[in-house]
Amino acid sequence: MKVLVVGGGGREHALAWKASQSKLVDEVLVAPGNAGTAAETGLRNVDVAADDIDALLALARQEQVALTIVGPEAPLAAGIVDRFRAAGLKCFGPDAAAARLESSKAFAKDFMARHGIPTAAYAVVTEVEAGLEQVQAMQFPVVLKADGLAAGKGVVIVDDLDQARTTLSDMLSGQAFGEAGHQVVIEEFLRGEEASFIVIADGEKMLPLASSQDHKRRDDGDLGPNTGGMGAYSPAPVVNDAVHAQIIEQVIAPTLAGMIADGCPFTGFLYAGVMLTEQGPKVLEFNVRFGDPETQPVLMRLKSDLVQTLLQTLDGQLDTLRLDWDPRVALGIVMAAGGYPDGYAKGTPISGLEGKLPADLKVFHAGTALDDQGQVVTSGGRVLCVTALGEDVVEAQRRALAGCAKIAFDGGFYRRDIGHRALMR
Ligand code: AMP
Ligand code: GLY
């Protein structure tokens, strides 16, 4: 059968790579893909944008695609699953109503309040002055979040009133994030260690994936601005058996039940970004898709057949499934373009990608493209995710860093401390 993966980042390279290993699959189409998916056996890039739902639907029909897996949030929020379902095509992900868990932070906060799911205290505002009043009633630092989709960059942690005023006016004027910033969620700052908890959900039941931890800040030591994610590893040792059970009981189960109660059951990858606080897990955000870069290390550890798992989930057989994991640690380091998460150059040639890699190292492409001469060049802020397996975090980190050291492009940079919280334990 043919599978279609929608998207062109590191997550989609990993999803397509894993899907192509399925015994059920002859070919994986990737729309639009990147230079990494272009080079992979069993994969074929198709020049269709990830948010062009009409063209994706036409492609799936024409190629008789048996399963579509949607990587990014934008097409999910725009209703790709609704459209495919109406056309009788299998498409793994939530419909637009369920995708509001990610596409509107105000919706997600109100949802959590309604269903007793632990999260930071908050207020939603649409005016700067009202926002400043809320901020003054809280203790600094305070967290300001643009309501809509902002590619992981719509969160600003402010330390004083001046910064709060500037950030609120930038967001609310539409200057910083356009339409996505017209409502702002103001949140209490939570302390603790973060973990990414991702499950496969079929509307009612769930199958947890291996735990992982992302590194949102740009610089070593978790300093610098927030980004989409500079690296991730799996498993996250902070998610021990007790924490795992707590997250399922206090967060995932009530979320799935709440979505049913609200008339929009959730099917797809449900991602809870949680802060493990002294009072237990609290939700920082929901994503309605697999994480990027968490997908890269998590799928590197998955031994089960991904395509079969997703097809059986859509067929209502989730409770008969279990997943097998490589017991080793997987750790991925993002190589980013100079300037990221702000403006950065595109079209910079990348060297060091040739040659066969050992089985425990994989270079997932994210923002890459092929130029007219067939040379791999940068095309995004997060360029590559160099991912390695190792017996422990030290070994996985060493192998991933050695992989990064062989690759170079002008202005490129990466963190050298991915996995540091696990190492400290
Ligand atoms: P979000 O997109 O909502 O997950 O926010 C991005 C990142 O900002 C999170 O992964 C956290 O590192 C940080 N963050 C978000 N909300 C809070 C909060 N209430 N307290 C502390 N840090 C937060
Ligand atoms: N790594 C966080 C995300 O995918 O949003």
Side-chain angles (χ1 to χ4, degrees):
M1 66 169 65
K2 285 186 194 175
V3 167
L4 168 62
V5 172
V6 175
R11 165 184 50 214
E12 288 78 23
H13 186 182
L15 283 166
W17 165 80
K18 188 69 207 170
S20 73
Q21 294 167 9
S22 164
K23 60 180 191 292
L24 303 171
V25 172
D26 301 307
E27 189 178 29
V28 179
L29 310 181
V30 194
N34 57 35
T37 54
E40 202 84 58
T41 324
L43 270 50
R44 170 159 56 103
N45 284 357
V46 186
D47 190 14
V48 172
D51 56 1
D52 189 346
I53 299 181
D54 289 330
L56 292 168
L57 199 52
L59 174 69
R61 282 206 179 104
Q62 187 193 334
E63 297 275 356
Q64 299 186 320
V65 166
L67 173 69
T68 298
I69 307 171
V70 185
E73 57 277 16
L76 293 167
I80 188 171
V81 171
D82 311 60
R83 296 280 306 281
F84 271 60
R85 224 181 255 161
L89 294 171
K90 287 187 177 161
C91 185
F92 192 77
D95 59 18
R100 285 177 299 168
L101 276 182
E102 176 168 1
S103 62
S104 168
K105 289 187 189 280
F107 172 86
K109 294 297 284 192
D110 293 344
F111 171 85
M112 288 187 270
R114 206 158 52 236
H115 296 287
I117 296 158
T119 188
Y122 76 105
V124 181
V125 301
T126 53
E127 307 283 345
V128 176
E129 288 312 317
L132 287 173
E133 260 174 52
Q134 294 292 341
V135 169
Q136 277 170 300
M138 294 167 130
Q139 266 178 337
F140 287 108
V142 166
V143 186
L144 302 181
K145 301 184 174 182
D147 175 63
L149 298 178
K153 285 161 240 159
V155 176
V156 181
I157 295 164
V158 298
D159 294 309
D160 57 49
L161 210 55
D162 274 351
Q163 218 188 337
R165 184 186 300 276
T166 317
T167 308
L168 278 168
S169 13
D170 282 356
M171 284 183 174
L172 289 167
S173 66
Q175 254 162 18
F177 305 105
E179 210 35 61
H182 286 330
Q183 282 194 98
V184 172
V185 174
I186 302 180
E187 258 186 35
E188 157 206 18
F189 183 82
L190 298 175
R191 286 167 215 281
E193 188 168 343
E194 270 182 77
S196 305
F197 200 88
I198 307 171
V199 305
I200 294 177
D202 71 351
E204 193 184 332
K205 298 178 295 297
M206 73 187 98
L207 185 63
L209 301 179
S211 63
S212 53
Q213 197 173 65
D214 184 12
H215 297 58
K216 295 263 162 98
R217 302 293 198 101
R218 184 190 59 196
D219 305 326
D220 280 6
D222 292 327
L223 300 172
N226 260 319
T227 70
M230 293 298 295
Y233 65 104
S234 169
V238 66
V239 184
N240 57 30
D241 289 350
V243 171
H244 188 275
Q246 231 182 358
I247 295 174
I248 288 190
E249 201 178 299
Q250 295 174 18
V251 174
I252 306 292
T255 299
L256 295 178
M259 292 300 276
I260 293 173
D262 289 357
C264 44
F266 189 98
T267 300
F269 295 109
L270 176 63
Y271 168 134
V274 292
M275 187 72 90
L276 302 168
T277 72
E278 278 170 4
Q279 296 94 46
K282 294 195 180 182
V283 176
L284 291 169
E285 64 165 341
F286 284 118
N287 293 322
V288 299
R289 34 109 194 139
F290 225 131
D292 191 345
E294 291 93 328
T295 306
Q296 293 85 316
V298 169
L299 287 188
M300 200 131 161
R301 292 186 56 220
L302 181 65
K303 289 179 159 177
S304 309
D305 185 322
L306 177 69
V307 170
Q308 190 172 33
T309 302
L310 301 185
L311 284 171
Q312 287 182 317
T313 302
L314 291 176
D315 287 343
Q317 297 169 43
L318 184 67
D319 41 2
T320 66
L321 300 177
R322 54 163 302 219
L323 298 174
D324 285 325
W325 300 99
D326 190 319
R328 287 177 293 174
V329 172
L331 187 144
I333 300 174
V334 169
M335 298 185 76
Y340 178 77
D342 300 321
Y344 48 81
K346 292 185 183 180
T348 311
I350 307 172
S351 66
L353 292 170
E354 331 47 49
K356 207 173 146 33
L357 297 176
D360 48 23
L361 187 66
K362 178 81 192 162
V363 178
F364 292 109
H365 287 227
T368 68
L370 293 171
D371 72 5
D372 300 344
Q373 276 88 50
Q375 158 75 39
V376 181
V377 297
T378 66
S379 69
R382 293 190 290 172
V383 177
L384 302 164
C385 183
V386 179
T387 310
L389 286 163
E391 291 305 323
D392 53 23
V393 181
V394 175
E395 191 178 58
Q397 190 197 59
R398 188 169 46 72
R399 285 182 180 156
L401 282 170
C404 291
K406 294 204 175 79
I407 299 170
F409 49 96
D410 267 358
F413 71 96
Y414 53 96
R415 281 181 61 166
R416 267 123 178 124
D417 67 343
I418 301 302
H420 68 95
R421 286 177 196 279
L423 289 173
M424 262 160 35
R425 272 163 192 273

PDB file of all heavy atoms in Angstrom, residues 110-135:
ATOM      1  N   ASP A 110      -9.603  27.029  28.938  1.00  0.00           N
ATOM      2  CA  ASP A 110     -10.995  26.932  29.397  1.00  0.00           C
ATOM      3  C   ASP A 110     -11.430  25.465  29.482  1.00  0.00           C
ATOM      4  O   ASP A 110     -12.132  25.075  30.413  1.00  0.00           O
ATOM      5  CB  ASP A 110     -11.931  27.707  28.454  1.00  0.00           C
ATOM      6  CG  ASP A 110     -11.678  29.213  28.523  1.00  0.00           C
ATOM      7  OD1 ASP A 110     -11.022  29.668  29.496  1.00  0.00           O
ATOM      8  OD2 ASP A 110     -12.114  29.935  27.608  1.00  0.00           O
ATOM      9  N   PHE A 111     -10.997  24.670  28.522  1.00  0.00           N
ATOM     10  CA  PHE A 111     -11.290  23.233  28.533  1.00  0.00           C
ATOM     11  C   PHE A 111     -10.742  22.590  29.812  1.00  0.00           C
ATOM     12  O   PHE A 111     -11.438  21.832  30.498  1.00  0.00           O
ATOM     13  CB  PHE A 111     -10.681  22.571  27.286  1.00  0.00           C
ATOM     14  CG  PHE A 111     -10.739  21.061  27.296  1.00  0.00           C
ATOM     15  CD1 PHE A 111     -11.873  20.388  26.867  1.00  0.00           C
ATOM     16  CD2 PHE A 111      -9.653  20.314  27.760  1.00  0.00           C
ATOM     17  CE1 PHE A 111     -11.937  18.996  26.899  1.00  0.00           C
ATOM     18  CE2 PHE A 111      -9.702  18.927  27.790  1.00  0.00           C
ATOM     19  CZ  PHE A 111     -10.852  18.266  27.361  1.00  0.00           C
ATOM     20  N   MET A 112      -9.490  22.917  30.137  1.00  0.00           N
ATOM     21  CA  MET A 112      -8.872  22.315  31.331  1.00  0.00           C
ATOM     22  C   MET A 112      -9.586  22.772  32.603  1.00  0.00           C
ATOM     23  O   MET A 112      -9.808  21.976  33.524  1.00  0.00           O
ATOM     24  CB  MET A 112      -7.379  22.645  31.386  1.00  0.00           C
ATOM     25  CG  MET A 112      -6.590  21.888  30.339  1.00  0.00           C
ATOM     26  SD  MET A 112      -4.806  22.091  30.518  1.00  0.00           S
ATOM     27  CE  MET A 112      -4.497  23.523  29.505  1.00  0.00           C
ATOM     28  N   ALA A 113      -9.954  24.043  32.647  1.00  0.00           N
ATOM     29  CA  ALA A 113     -10.665  24.551  33.821  1.00  0.00           C
ATOM     30  C   ALA A 113     -11.996  23.816  33.978  1.00  0.00           C
ATOM     31  O   ALA A 113     -12.370  23.381  35.067  1.00  0.00           O
ATOM     32  CB  ALA A 113     -10.891  26.056  33.671  1.00  0.00           C
ATOM     33  N   ARG A 114     -12.695  23.636  32.851  1.00  0.00           N
ATOM     34  CA  ARG A 114     -14.006  22.984  32.852  1.00  0.00           C
ATOM     35  C   ARG A 114     -13.920  21.531  33.322  1.00  0.00           C
ATOM     36  O   ARG A 114     -14.818  21.022  33.967  1.00  0.00           O
ATOM     37  CB  ARG A 114     -14.518  23.011  31.404  1.00  0.00           C
ATOM     38  CG  ARG A 114     -15.985  22.970  31.230  1.00  0.00           C
ATOM     39  CD  ARG A 114     -16.451  23.517  29.872  1.00  0.00           C
ATOM     40  NE  ARG A 114     -15.820  22.953  28.700  1.00  0.00           N
ATOM     41  CZ  ARG A 114     -15.186  23.692  27.784  1.00  0.00           C
ATOM     42  NH1 ARG A 114     -15.076  24.983  27.921  1.00  0.00           N
ATOM     43  NH2 ARG A 114     -14.656  23.097  26.722  1.00  0.00           N
ATOM     44  N   HIS A 115     -12.816  20.862  32.996  1.00  0.00           N
ATOM     45  CA  HIS A 115     -12.733  19.425  33.288  1.00  0.00           C
ATOM     46  C   HIS A 115     -11.756  19.083  34.408  1.00  0.00           C
ATOM     47  O   HIS A 115     -11.403  17.924  34.588  1.00  0.00           O
ATOM     48  CB  HIS A 115     -12.385  18.661  32.006  1.00  0.00           C
ATOM     49  CG  HIS A 115     -13.455  18.781  30.958  1.00  0.00           C
ATOM     50  ND1 HIS A 115     -14.674  18.122  31.040  1.00  0.00           N
ATOM     51  CD2 HIS A 115     -13.515  19.536  29.840  1.00  0.00           C
ATOM     52  CE1 HIS A 115     -15.416  18.450  30.001  1.00  0.00           C
ATOM     53  NE2 HIS A 115     -14.750  19.298  29.259  1.00  0.00           N
ATOM     54  N   GLY A 116     -11.336  20.096  35.140  1.00  0.00           N
ATOM     55  CA  GLY A 116     -10.498  19.832  36.304  1.00  0.00           C
ATOM     56  C   GLY A 116      -9.136  19.249  35.985  1.00  0.00           C
ATOM     57  O   GLY A 116      -8.587  18.450  36.746  1.00  0.00           O
ATOM     58  N   ILE A 117      -8.572  19.651  34.859  1.00  0.00           N
ATOM     59  CA  ILE A 117      -7.235  19.157  34.483  1.00  0.00           C
ATOM     60  C   ILE A 117      -6.205  20.180  34.983  1.00  0.00           C
ATOM     61  O   ILE A 117      -6.318  21.368  34.693  1.00  0.00           O
ATOM     62  CB  ILE A 117      -7.162  18.964  32.954  1.00  0.00           C
ATOM     63  CG1 ILE A 117      -8.170  17.872  32.548  1.00  0.00           C
ATOM     64  CG2 ILE A 117      -5.755  18.601  32.506  1.00  0.00           C
ATOM     65  CD1 ILE A 117      -8.596  17.909  31.123  1.00  0.00           C
ATOM     66  N   PRO A 118      -5.212  19.706  35.767  1.00  0.00           N
ATOM     67  CA  PRO A 118      -4.291  20.650  36.403  1.00  0.00           C
ATOM     68  C   PRO A 118      -3.459  21.451  35.399  1.00  0.00           C
ATOM     69  O   PRO A 118      -2.869  20.892  34.483  1.00  0.00           O
ATOM     70  CB  PRO A 118      -3.379  19.747  37.251  1.00  0.00           C
ATOM     71  CG  PRO A 118      -3.539  18.366  36.698  1.00  0.00           C
ATOM     72  CD  PRO A 118      -4.899  18.293  36.089  1.00  0.00           C
ATOM     73  N   THR A 119      -3.428  22.769  35.593  1.00  0.00           N
ATOM     74  CA  THR A 119      -2.670  23.664  34.714  1.00  0.00           C
ATOM     75  C   THR A 119      -2.394  24.954  35.470  1.00  0.00           C
ATOM     76  O   THR A 119      -2.941  25.164  36.556  1.00  0.00           O
ATOM     77  CB  THR A 119      -3.459  23.916  33.404  1.00  0.00           C
ATOM     78  OG1 THR A 119      -2.633  24.631  32.486  1.00  0.00           O
ATOM     79  CG2 THR A 119      -4.741  24.694  33.643  1.00  0.00           C
ATOM     80  N   ALA A 120      -1.566  25.826  34.917  1.00  0.00           N
ATOM     81  CA  ALA A 120      -1.235  27.095  35.577  1.00  0.00           C
ATOM     82  C   ALA A 120      -2.470  27.998  35.633  1.00  0.00           C
ATOM     83  O   ALA A 120      -3.273  28.010  34.705  1.00  0.00           O
ATOM     84  CB  ALA A 120      -0.126  27.797  34.798  1.00  0.00           C
ATOM     85  N   ALA A 121      -2.593  28.789  36.728  1.00  0.00           N
ATOM     86  CA  ALA A 121      -3.654  29.794  36.827  1.00  0.00           C
ATOM     87  C   ALA A 121      -3.494  30.768  35.661  1.00  0.00           C
ATOM     88  O   ALA A 121      -2.382  31.031  35.205  1.00  0.00           O
ATOM     89  CB  ALA A 121      -3.536  30.540  38.151  1.00  0.00           C
ATOM     90  N   TYR A 122      -4.626  31.300  35.148  1.00  0.00           N
ATOM     91  CA  TYR A 122      -4.538  32.092  33.922  1.00  0.00           C
ATOM     92  C   TYR A 122      -5.670  33.089  33.791  1.00  0.00           C
ATOM     93  O   TYR A 122      -6.667  33.023  34.516  1.00  0.00           O
ATOM     94  CB  TYR A 122      -4.567  31.147  32.717  1.00  0.00           C
ATOM     95  CG  TYR A 122      -5.970  30.609  32.437  1.00  0.00           C
ATOM     96  CD1 TYR A 122      -6.723  31.095  31.365  1.00  0.00           C
ATOM     97  CD2 TYR A 122      -6.551  29.656  33.266  1.00  0.00           C
ATOM     98  CE1 TYR A 122      -8.002  30.622  31.122  1.00  0.00           C
ATOM     99  CE2 TYR A 122      -7.828  29.182  33.023  1.00  0.00           C
ATOM    100  CZ  TYR A 122      -8.545  29.669  31.948  1.00  0.00           C
ATOM    101  OH  TYR A 122      -9.814  29.212  31.718  1.00  0.00           O
ATOM    102  N   ALA A 123      -5.505  34.003  32.855  1.00  0.00           N
ATOM    103  CA  ALA A 123      -6.581  34.882  32.422  1.00  0.00           C
ATOM    104  C   ALA A 123      -6.416  35.080  30.921  1.00  0.00           C
ATOM    105  O   ALA A 123      -5.306  34.967  30.404  1.00  0.00           O
ATOM    106  CB  ALA A 123      -6.473  36.230  33.133  1.00  0.00           C
ATOM    107  N   VAL A 124      -7.522  35.342  30.232  1.00  0.00           N
ATOM    108  CA  VAL A 124      -7.458  35.611  28.793  1.00  0.00           C
ATOM    109  C   VAL A 124      -7.828  37.072  28.582  1.00  0.00           C
ATOM    110  O   VAL A 124      -8.842  37.534  29.116  1.00  0.00           O
ATOM    111  CB  VAL A 124      -8.445  34.710  28.019  1.00  0.00           C
ATOM    112  CG1 VAL A 124      -8.353  34.974  26.519  1.00  0.00           C
ATOM    113  CG2 VAL A 124      -8.171  33.236  28.301  1.00  0.00           C
ATOM    114  N   VAL A 125      -7.009  37.825  27.836  1.00  0.00           N
ATOM    115  CA  VAL A 125      -7.299  39.246  27.612  1.00  0.00           C
ATOM    116  C   VAL A 125      -7.207  39.601  26.124  1.00  0.00           C
ATOM    117  O   VAL A 125      -6.543  38.904  25.348  1.00  0.00           O
ATOM    118  CB  VAL A 125      -6.329  40.159  28.401  1.00  0.00           C
ATOM    119  CG1 VAL A 125      -6.420  39.891  29.896  1.00  0.00           C
ATOM    120  CG2 VAL A 125      -4.893  39.990  27.927  1.00  0.00           C
ATOM    121  N   THR A 126      -7.877  40.707  25.787  1.00  0.00           N
ATOM    122  CA  THR A 126      -7.802  41.211  24.412  1.00  0.00           C
ATOM    123  C   THR A 126      -7.346  42.679  24.381  1.00  0.00           C
ATOM    124  O   THR A 126      -7.226  43.257  23.311  1.00  0.00           O
ATOM    125  CB  THR A 126      -9.177  41.112  23.712  1.00  0.00           C
ATOM    126  OG1 THR A 126     -10.148  41.759  24.545  1.00  0.00           O
ATOM    127  CG2 THR A 126      -9.596  39.664  23.502  1.00  0.00           C
ATOM    128  N   GLU A 127      -7.125  43.263  25.583  1.00  0.00           N
ATOM    129  CA  GLU A 127      -6.701  44.674  25.653  1.00  0.00           C
ATOM    130  C   GLU A 127      -5.457  44.790  26.534  1.00  0.00           C
ATOM    131  O   GLU A 127      -5.350  44.099  27.545  1.00  0.00           O
ATOM    132  CB  GLU A 127      -7.791  45.542  26.331  1.00  0.00           C
ATOM    133  CG  GLU A 127      -9.176  45.420  25.731  1.00  0.00           C
ATOM    134  CD  GLU A 127      -9.310  46.177  24.434  1.00  0.00           C
ATOM    135  OE1 GLU A 127      -8.422  47.015  24.157  1.00  0.00           O
ATOM    136  OE2 GLU A 127     -10.278  45.912  23.701  1.00  0.00           O
ATOM    137  N   VAL A 128      -4.562  45.703  26.153  1.00  0.00           N
ATOM    138  CA  VAL A 128      -3.305  45.868  26.887  1.00  0.00           C
ATOM    139  C   VAL A 128      -3.564  46.248  28.357  1.00  0.00           C
ATOM    140  O   VAL A 128      -2.977  45.653  29.278  1.00  0.00           O
ATOM    141  CB  VAL A 128      -2.416  46.935  26.217  1.00  0.00           C
ATOM    142  CG1 VAL A 128      -1.146  47.167  27.031  1.00  0.00           C
ATOM    143  CG2 VAL A 128      -2.052  46.498  24.798  1.00  0.00           C
ATOM    144  N   GLU A 129      -4.452  47.218  28.584  1.00  0.00           N
ATOM    145  CA  GLU A 129      -4.652  47.690  29.962  1.00  0.00           C
ATOM    146  C   GLU A 129      -5.212  46.586  30.855  1.00  0.00           C
ATOM    147  O   GLU A 129      -4.755  46.386  31.976  1.00  0.00           O
ATOM    148  CB  GLU A 129      -5.558  48.933  29.986  1.00  0.00           C
ATOM    149  CG  GLU A 129      -4.871  50.197  29.459  1.00  0.00           C
ATOM    150  CD  GLU A 129      -3.464  50.438  30.055  1.00  0.00           C
ATOM    151  OE1 GLU A 129      -3.291  50.261  31.293  1.00  0.00           O
ATOM    152  OE2 GLU A 129      -2.537  50.786  29.289  1.00  0.00           O
ATOM    153  N   ALA A 130      -6.186  45.854  30.341  1.00  0.00           N
ATOM    154  CA  ALA A 130      -6.747  44.731  31.096  1.00  0.00           C
ATOM    155  C   ALA A 130      -5.664  43.692  31.363  1.00  0.00           C
ATOM    156  O   ALA A 130      -5.591  43.105  32.456  1.00  0.00           O
ATOM    157  CB  ALA A 130      -7.896  44.098  30.318  1.00  0.00           C
ATOM    158  N   GLY A 131      -4.791  43.499  30.398  1.00  0.00           N
ATOM    159  CA  GLY A 131      -3.700  42.553  30.549  1.00  0.00           C
ATOM    160  C   GLY A 131      -2.756  42.977  31.659  1.00  0.00           C
ATOM    161  O   GLY A 131      -2.346  42.172  32.499  1.00  0.00           O
ATOM    162  N   LEU A 132      -2.427  44.276  31.671  1.00  0.00           N
ATOM    163  CA  LEU A 132      -1.493  44.780  32.687  1.00  0.00           C
ATOM    164  C   LEU A 132      -2.084  44.640  34.087  1.00  0.00           C
ATOM    165  O   LEU A 132      -1.374  44.351  35.047  1.00  0.00           O
ATOM    166  CB  LEU A 132      -1.116  46.232  32.392  1.00  0.00           C
ATOM    167  CG  LEU A 132      -0.167  46.365  31.195  1.00  0.00           C
ATOM    168  CD1 LEU A 132       0.047  47.828  30.823  1.00  0.00           C
ATOM    169  CD2 LEU A 132       1.187  45.699  31.476  1.00  0.00           C
ATOM    170  N   GLU A 133      -3.400  44.831  34.192  1.00  0.00           N
ATOM    171  CA  GLU A 133      -4.053  44.642  35.494  1.00  0.00           C
ATOM    172  C   GLU A 133      -3.882  43.212  35.979  1.00  0.00           C
ATOM    173  O   GLU A 133      -3.562  42.965  37.135  1.00  0.00           O
ATOM    174  CB  GLU A 133      -5.549  44.932  35.367  1.00  0.00           C
ATOM    175  CG  GLU A 133      -5.942  46.309  35.858  1.00  0.00           C
ATOM    176  CD  GLU A 133      -7.404  46.586  35.558  1.00  0.00           C
ATOM    177  OE1 GLU A 133      -8.264  45.739  35.917  1.00  0.00           O
ATOM    178  OE2 GLU A 133      -7.671  47.630  34.924  1.00  0.00           O
ATOM    179  N   GLN A 134      -4.096  42.258  35.060  1.00  0.00           N
ATOM    180  CA  GLN A 134      -3.921  40.844  35.413  1.00  0.00           C
ATOM    181  C   GLN A 134      -2.479  40.566  35.818  1.00  0.00           C
ATOM    182  O   GLN A 134      -2.220  39.877  36.803  1.00  0.00           O
ATOM    183  CB  GLN A 134      -4.289  39.940  34.227  1.00  0.00           C
ATOM    184  CG  GLN A 134      -5.736  39.974  33.840  1.00  0.00           C
ATOM    185  CD  GLN A 134      -6.638  39.340  34.900  1.00  0.00           C
ATOM    186  OE1 GLN A 134      -6.172  38.585  35.742  1.00  0.00           O
ATOM    187  NE2 GLN A 134      -7.911  39.685  34.862  1.00  0.00           N
ATOM    188  N   VAL A 135      -1.546  41.109  35.033  1.00  0.00           N
ATOM    189  CA  VAL A 135      -0.127  40.872  35.313  1.00  0.00           C
ATOM    190  C   VAL A 135       0.223  41.387  36.706  1.00  0.00           C
ATOM    191  O   VAL A 135       0.926  40.728  37.480  1.00  0.00           O
ATOM    192  CB  VAL A 135       0.760  41.546  34.238  1.00  0.00           C
ATOM    193  CG1 VAL A 135       2.227  41.533  34.648  1.00  0.00           C
ATOM    194  CG2 VAL A 135       0.596  40.838  32.890  1.00  0.00           C
TER     195      VAL A 135
END
